[in-house]
Amino acid sequence: MFTDLYNLLFLSVNLHSFVGHVQKIDTNDTQGSVTLRTLNIKPLVLEADSFLSQEECDYFVKMATEEGLQESETVINQPDGQRFVLRDHDGNRKLTVREMKHTIQGSFDVFLEDEDILKMYRETGWDKDGDEMITNDELKDFSPTMLQNEIQKILKANPEKHSRMSKQVWLYPDRSKDKVFATVQKRVARVVGLPIELIKLSDFQVVSYDIKGHYNAHWDSSRVETKVPCCTRERTKKCRICRYMTILFYLNDVDDGGETAFPLANNDTLDYQSVMEKELIDLYRKCENSPLKVAPSKGKAIIWYNHFVDEDTGWLGPLDEFTFHGGCPVKKGIKWIANFWVKTTDQKMKDLKKMQKFYKEATKHKPKISKEEL
């Protein structure tokens, strides 16, 4: 019975087939109900203005502050030997300023401007002939480590040039007996139509952004690659991120800026060359160019599906690459959000067994219902 029930795991996107569609869902708690509104179809993005109460928002900010936030980091998910790759797009064995920018972005996750590159050339003398291009011979005079050291000097004075500028802390729903946490978990399960056992095995991250705080465009999950297993809390290396759904909570109002932007929303095709040329990934500078932006509002949640459902297995399918998104810079005030990531792996039966084990552990100490109570 358990397995049959959980074969109905994924919420049908047909319920949200047009922009502006509204669905009111009873939460069976003090919040009363949550109203989902369809913001976008490609990718499918839903919005709920009062998913969390004002008190719940304040509670999570307080919990994160007490737990202690750390500087956010990004992980370049590439093999060790491929982390520094020259982006010689035209193959002429010379790097233009633009190609050097793309090399630095791909290798170090840092977004420099043309003047940053030229200033670096002047100060280091790497561009010997001053033609604003780096040749093979000039490359021999410096190493990736030397380049990284120069980039770190730039970041020290201009931290906003990193792809991500924020602080964060991880909270774990399955390890918590907190009543507020438990209530929100149940509400999430009810609103998105997923079992509470899966929700409790997912991850919860609280993030704080100060002035200039941002996160350039990225995916929350990874492309499906059968030879690479999904990451778990136990397996963190040589794996890929598998997050079926993102639920992003805004925990406060922001005076100015801090929108969540989707730079590929509603594009006809996935043209990554155009994304690079137009620098759409650089939301710190190009936020206004994104066709879909969601402004922060305390208590609001936005929800999107990072993956489609595999038609054969009914489980984790291909990555929806239109979910490419990020956080625009905070211009005034401070921004608090919480990311609730619903995770699965490629192994449907293993996931179901894990959920079943959690269900048994959670219910084995519950008192039996007497005949009188029935």
Side-chain angles (χ1 to χ4, degrees), residues 109-227:
D109 210 21
V110 173
F111 291 73
L112 303 184
E113 298 180 62
D114 290 5
E115 182 52 38
D116 296 318
I117 303 290
L118 295 174
K119 181 181 179 183
M120 182 170 61
Y121 288 170
R122 291 193 297 269
E123 292 179 350
T124 61
W126 289 339
D127 180 19
K128 290 183 174 57
D129 56 12
D131 65 351
E132 299 185 358
M133 300 184 78
I134 298 297
T135 65
N136 260 2
D137 287 338
E138 289 169 333
L139 273 174
K140 295 175 183 177
D141 291 339
F142 67 96
S143 65
T145 300
M146 293 168 66
L147 179 58
Q148 186 174 23
N149 290 339
E150 292 301 319
I151 292 170
Q152 289 304 317
K153 292 178 185 177
I154 297 173
L155 289 176
K156 188 173 182 179
N158 304 277
E160 70 277 3
K161 294 183 184 294
H162 198 281
S163 69
R164 189 177 190 183
M165 186 177 169
S166 62
K167 293 183 178 180
Q168 66 183 49
V169 64
W170 292 91
L171 305 174
Y172 298 100
D174 58 317
R175 300 175 186 171
S176 173
K177 296 182 179 178
D178 185 277
K179 291 183 179 180
V180 175
F181 224 157
T183 298
V184 172
Q185 290 166 26
K186 291 177 182 177
R187 189 180 308 150
V188 167
R190 191 165 181 86
V191 171
V192 303
L194 297 175
I196 187 65
E197 290 78 22
L198 183 61
I199 297 301
K200 285 181 175 290
L201 291 172
S202 297
D203 287 339
F204 191 85
Q205 180 195 61
V206 178
V207 189
S208 173
Y209 297 84
D210 289 318
I211 296 294
K212 295 186 178 181
H214 67 281
Y215 193 177
N216 284 341
H218 60 283
W219 290 284
D220 278 352
S221 195
S222 303
R223 293 185 180 95
V224 173
E225 188 177 343
T226 55
K227 293 182 180 179

Side-chain angles (χ1 to χ4, degrees), residues 25-87:
I25 301 170
D26 183 13
T27 61
N28 282 349
D29 60 24
T30 55
Q31 198 69 350
S33 65
V34 166
T35 300
L36 285 179
R37 185 170 68 90
T38 303
L39 282 182
N40 201 74
I41 297 297
K42 188 181 180 181
L44 179 62
V45 181
L46 312 174
E47 176 185 60
D49 281 334
S50 298
F51 199 112
L52 298 181
S53 69
Q54 302 289 295
E55 293 76 18
E56 287 166 344
C57 291
D58 295 340
Y59 186 83
F60 287 130
V61 170
K62 181 174 181 290
M63 180 185 290
T65 303
E66 291 175 350
E67 188 73 18
L69 291 91
Q70 305 293 324
E71 292 290 339
S72 300
E73 295 181 354
T74 55
V75 178
I76 299 176
N77 195 18
Q78 294 174 336
D80 291 342
Q82 299 178 21
R83 288 184 181 170
F84 184 76
V85 179
L86 297 176
R87 300 312 203 260

Side-chain angles (χ1 to χ4, degrees), residues 337-355:
I337 66 166
N339 293 307
F340 201 118
W341 285 304
V342 179
K343 301 190 305 179
T344 64
T345 72
D346 296 314
Q347 305 297 318
K348 177 178 180 179
M349 296 314 298
K350 286 185 178 180
D351 286 346
L352 291 175
K353 287 179 180 178
K354 184 189 296 184
M355 292 158 58

Side-chain angles (χ1 to χ4, degrees), residues 306-352:
N306 297 306
H307 288 264
F308 299 103
V309 177
D310 186 280
E311 292 183 1
D312 295 327
T313 66
W315 213 247
L316 193 70
L319 179 72
D320 183 352
E321 299 189 31
F322 287 98
T323 60
F324 198 58
H325 71 284
C328 298
V330 174
K331 299 176 182 178
K332 184 179 180 182
I334 190 171
K335 170 185 169 184
W336 286 89
I337 66 166
N339 293 307
F340 201 118
W341 285 304
V342 179
K343 301 190 305 179
T344 64
T345 72
D346 296 314
Q347 305 297 318
K348 177 178 180 179
M349 296 314 298
K350 286 185 178 180
D351 286 346
L352 291 175

